Amino acid sequence: MTGISQARLQALEDGSQELLVWEAEALSRLYGIDADVLSSAPIHISPGDVVATLASVDEFHQIGDQARARVVAAARAARDVVKLRRLLSVQHQLHVPRVQVPHEADAVPYQEGAEAARHVRTDWGLDQDVIRSMRDLVASKLPGIAVLYARLGNSGPAGLTFAGPTFGPAIVLNLEGKNRNPAVRRFSLAHELYHLLCDWDHVEPLATLSGYLEDLTLEREQRANAFGIRLLCPEAKVNELPWGDDIGNAKVLIAKWGLHYSAARLYLRNLRNLALPPSPPNEVVEQGADSWWEDGEKPQGLEGFPLPDVPSERRTLVARLAAEAYSRRLLQRDTFAEFLDVAPDAEVELVLDAFGMDVPEAA
């Protein structure tokens, strides 16, 4: 990823050779650590830095090298949101309220997730209403959470969550793989929201990588799955569905409530012990109801971005905050390009035009 040979890297790590400037810059881009930190001896990684946080997550080591590099790049984007907000003195409600769910000794994980979903629906005044857009709901109720979009690969994680003073709170959604389906993407956002509301203790940094309902061995993921499903569709609405029409009930959950088939299948299995086929039947596929949710869950600002070389995770919130800082002369032009992850000679003023901001006047 950096162009540094393995032998050279080993020599740099054991201190037998001196780190060059270009090597420090290449490694800093990959690891998400400032170049001056990497240049110090010995190298010190603060507890909140991305390498230390991600290294503690087992799932991070279970994905391929390319996906790991993309995860680190997404973490760097989340870190830059924090930096830019501080620079702009943006007064967001950065505190994410922790949802305390009473723990019963005999409760299974999905029941705990379900209780958390009931609590949030009540607290947010959702009652039994359909959530038309998870994207808009999170932006309205928790504006301090940075929601970013990254290309993490077809087999990469569905979503990432970062929390703590360096990287969050932030949720990163994969634009590839099953997340191309807007129903899967809205579920992924609800799932990651659980980790911020219930798993983050506001003391230690948090990093999670989540899949697509397939890894049910982790109790934490089971709770988040149950929360995501029931936040999107209350249990009371499932209990109203008639018995005996399993496929028909799945179609209702998909068409009316915006669940994807795997989530509907898991929901009906847990509540009614129904065994729907692993793959959606033709009549469910042909229904095509997933397109109903396209507008509500469509990432805003990705398509038509004026600089095609800017990575997707930097086209939305990072680009907007950096553009505002540059327009207000809080950033130099080269630093603005750095936040966009493009060369200094790129036409960064086009980004200002896209956000309706003025080019800063010359000093």
Side-chain angles (χ1 to χ4, degrees):
M1 291 293 176
T2 62
I4 302 173
S5 71
Q6 184 174 347
R8 171 67 174 164
L9 184 59
Q10 184 175 352
L12 295 172
E13 290 177 344
D14 65 23
S16 62
Q17 296 181 18
E18 186 176 349
L19 184 67
L20 301 177
V21 173
W22 77 266
E23 292 171 330
E25 292 176 347
L27 288 168
S28 71
R29 288 194 297 271
L30 179 63
Y31 292 141
I33 301 176
D34 291 338
D36 58 348
V37 175
L38 279 172
S39 300
S40 65
I43 290 176
H44 174 71
I45 299 175
S46 301
D49 279 335
V50 64
V51 175
T53 305
L54 290 172
S56 66
V57 180
D58 290 339
E59 297 91 328
F60 183 65
H61 301 281
Q62 297 171 6
I63 59 178
D65 289 343
Q66 188 175 36
R68 280 202 296 272
R70 291 176 176 180
V71 167
V72 170
R76 286 180 52 242
R79 179 200 61 186
D80 286 348
V81 168
V82 176
K83 286 183 175 181
L84 288 164
R85 281 176 165 173
R86 288 173 180 165
L87 179 65
L88 291 163
S89 299
V90 177
Q91 298 301 312
H92 280 289
Q93 299 173 2
L94 295 178
H95 179 72
V96 177
R98 180 167 169 78
V99 175
Q100 298 283 1
V101 180
H103 178 75
E104 299 180 8
D106 58 346
V108 296
Y110 84 83
Q111 292 173 331
E112 294 176 339
E115 183 59 32
R118 283 191 287 271
H119 176 92
V120 171
R121 269 193 163 267
T122 299
D123 188 54
W124 288 2
L126 299 176
D127 298 322
Q128 305 295 304
D129 297 338
V130 174
I131 297 174
R132 293 296 179 188
S133 170
M134 271 301 303
R135 178 202 67 200
D136 293 348
L137 180 67
V138 171
S140 171
K141 297 295 183 180
L142 297 169
I145 295 178
V147 178
L148 307 176
Y149 300 87
R151 298 193 180 281
L152 303 175
N154 290 330
S155 57
L160 318 170
T161 299
F162 299 109
T166 305
F167 294 98
I171 293 173
V172 183
L173 298 180
N174 192 358
L175 289 169
E176 299 177 314
K178 295 179 181 178
N179 266 21
R180 289 190 177 94
N181 181 334
V184 178
R185 197 161 57 244
R186 75 194 243 107
F187 168 79
S188 295
L189 180 53
H191 176 113
E192 298 303 324
L193 183 62
Y194 175 87
H195 294 312
L196 286 179
L197 294 175
C198 300
D199 289 336
W200 181 29
D201 62 7
H202 293 261
V203 177
E204 295 294 330
L206 172 74
T208 66
L209 284 73
S210 304
Y212 297 98
L213 287 169
E214 295 169 355
D215 186 2
L216 300 179
T217 59
L218 295 175
E219 291 189 356
R220 182 192 68 197
E221 294 301 281
Q222 293 177 39
R223 289 191 288 268
N225 286 337
F227 172 87
I229 291 171
R230 287 159 178 79
L231 181 65
L232 294 175
C233 177
E235 278 192 22
K237 294 301 179 180
V238 180
N239 292 332
E240 293 175 0
L241 297 175
W243 288 81
D245 185 10
D246 302 347
I247 299 299
N249 289 339
K251 290 170 68 175
V252 170
L253 296 180
I254 293 169
K256 182 174 181 179
W257 296 95
L259 294 178
H260 59 93
Y261 177 77
S262 295
R265 177 174 176 266
L266 179 63
Y267 207 171
L268 294 172
R269 185 183 73 185
N270 284 337
L271 283 189
R272 295 193 172 184
N273 199 29
L274 297 178
L276 292 173
S279 298
N282 289 335
E283 59 184 298
V284 174
V285 175
E286 292 169 358
Q287 180 178 264
D290 291 342
S291 61
W292 290 25
W293 306 98
E294 183 65 47
D295 290 341
E297 308 303 341
K298 186 176 183 179
Q300 295 178 322
L302 288 183
E303 293 184 3
F305 195 81
L307 296 181
D309 291 339
V310 174
S312 56
E313 64 269 17
R314 293 181 175 271
R315 292 188 179 190
T316 52
L317 190 54
V318 176
R320 181 172 61 78
L321 293 173
E324 182 180 351
Y326 176 50
S327 180
R328 290 168 52 183
R329 296 180 59 186
L330 299 175
L331 287 181
Q332 296 294 324
R333 189 181 187 281
D334 286 2
T335 307
F336 179 34
E338 185 178 336
F339 274 113
L340 296 174
D341 204 12
V342 295
D345 60 353
E347 296 184 71
V348 295
E349 286 75 18
L350 294 176
V351 178
L352 293 179
D353 291 341
F355 290 110
M357 299 178 187
D358 295 328
V359 176
E361 295 181 2

